[in-house]
Amino acid sequence: MSIPDQPLPDTWFTRDLPVLRAIARLVDGSDHGSSPYLLGSVVPASGLPKAEVVAAAQALAAAGYIEPLTNHAGDIVRITAISAEARRLAGLWPTPQGEWDRLVEQLTARAGNAPTEVERQRWRAFADAAVAVGPDDGALLMSALIGGYVPRRR
């Protein structure tokens, strides 16, 4: 039980995000016609109890992350789609921060695996420059790249 003037317990990481990830895997796959049943597919895929999955689905629908199909009583029966933001949160689509981290990892790996010392130094310099730019500015750059907003040469 929560105290009235205290924050409510977290449900995002313990309930809603795991259910969103289960829904995203099912919607993105073709095994369920891209419209999985909440009770028949999402509950077992999430590993959470039915009541928690139902509560999570209601919260996700209210937030606009999922498009539910409901019965006459208003109960969610199936999930027909997920939003673009849900795809990012679930890991199906890239995020600027995640892509920056992947770029830095690639540069570091290439520096370590370069066949010659000259190439190793070049890749290391590139990796060092990326680290110096930092994750905040790096995420801004990746956001532009992911969104296609990088100015093109004329």
Side-chain angles (χ1 to χ4, degrees), residues 40-55:
S41 300
V42 178
V43 169
S46 73
L48 295 172
K50 173 185 166 184
E52 287 191 41
V53 173
V54 169

Side-chain angles (χ1 to χ4, degrees), residues 60-86:
L60 294 168
Y65 290 125
I66 64 171
E67 291 183 25
L69 178 65
T70 59
N71 62 19
H72 293 295
D75 300 323
I76 297 174
V77 178
R78 292 182 92 156
I79 312 302
T80 59
I82 60 174
S83 69
E85 182 60 19

